[in-house]
Amino acid sequence: MIVETPRGRVGYDEDGTGRPLLLLHGFPHDRTLWTAQLGGPPVNTRVIALDLPGFGESDSAEVPSLDHWADWVAGAMDALQLPRAIVGGLSMGGYLAFALWRRHRARVEGLVLADTRAGADTLEGQEKRVAMQATALAQGAGAIADAMLPGMVGKTTRAEQPQAVEFLDAMMRRARVAAIQKALDALRTRPDSTPILATIDVPTLVICGAEDVLTPVKESEAMQAAIPDAQLAVIPGAGHASCVERPAAFNAVLSGFVRARFP
Ligand code: MLT
């Protein structure tokens, strides 16, 4: 579906009724990352998955920064009549959830931080983003999918679930080069969110695939330790795209969190 906002079109899907759970995908994904969560929302939950700026059916945001994207998401929430929501993000979506907390915390009634990290890019990481922009420009989204795919899933998924690997590969190949370029700028320039972890005073669930090599479990353990009263769930047999690789386990953890913390 499409919703028009003052900042342009936003692609989204939703399922279920009740307390809103807004899901933000990673890089270079689109809202179909959350297909399995849309298929089985936690009880009493309205799950909404957005295409982030320039991905899927969404228009680009004018400024490639995560703070600007947070304002863009708040605008999408206005258009979808969501005064508040539990905000869940995977990887880049998690970085964006932190930006929403910084800029629009009244809109955030809970956080789900999946396969993400609080820290900013290292200098080396920033240089890799710039190199990836050059690759995307020269060779297209397929080259980015090739570069990202090995880290996107865990070794168990690689061995046992070719369909999940193909699903993610096809999603990344669909990304527009312009969206990849802008997202890489937003990722490269994002601030360190570590200092704000202690300010998070809404129910928070941290999820991580046990085999995640891009944002390893130790990053999630550090976030859980720093966020007051946060809960951590490690999903066995999953890597970075845990919501795709182990949807039943991911959804069970999500449902348990929503039921326990938002009765
Ligand atoms: C993602 O899945 O969103 C990316 O791995 C994030 C990143 O490159 O930092």
Side-chain angles (χ1 to χ4, degrees), residues 81-168:
Q81 299 182 350
L82 294 175
R84 299 189 81 205
I86 305 168
V87 176
L90 184 127
S91 198
M92 178 178 77
Y95 311 157
L96 182 52
F98 288 133
L100 264 170
W101 180 254
R102 270 196 303 276
R103 294 176 71 82
H104 300 280
R105 75 180 56 173
R107 313 292 297 264
V108 180
E109 59 182 351
L111 282 169
V112 179
L113 302 168
D115 298 280
T116 192
R117 60 158 53 87
D121 276 4
T122 59
L123 204 54
E124 189 194 353
Q126 292 180 7
E127 284 166 5
K128 281 189 185 156
R129 305 278 190 207
V130 173
M132 200 178 254
Q133 285 177 315
T135 303
L137 213 51
Q139 299 171 44
I144 302 307
D146 290 342
M148 298 291 295
L149 195 62
M152 199 49 67
V153 297
K155 59 182 187 314
T156 306
T157 300
R158 214 165 10 258
E160 297 176 4
Q161 293 196 77
Q163 76 291 353
V165 178
E166 279 160 27
F167 175 78
L168 286 158

Side-chain angles (χ1 to χ4, degrees), residues 188-220:
R188 181 174 53 79
T189 58
R190 75 186 191 281
D192 181 6
S193 292
T194 311
I196 65 164
L197 297 179
T199 71
I200 295 176
D201 58 1
V202 293
T204 298
L205 169 64
V206 181
I207 307 182
C208 191
E211 300 172 6
D212 187 343
V213 291
L214 290 183
T215 46
V217 172
K218 67 174 180 355
E219 299 280 356
S220 288

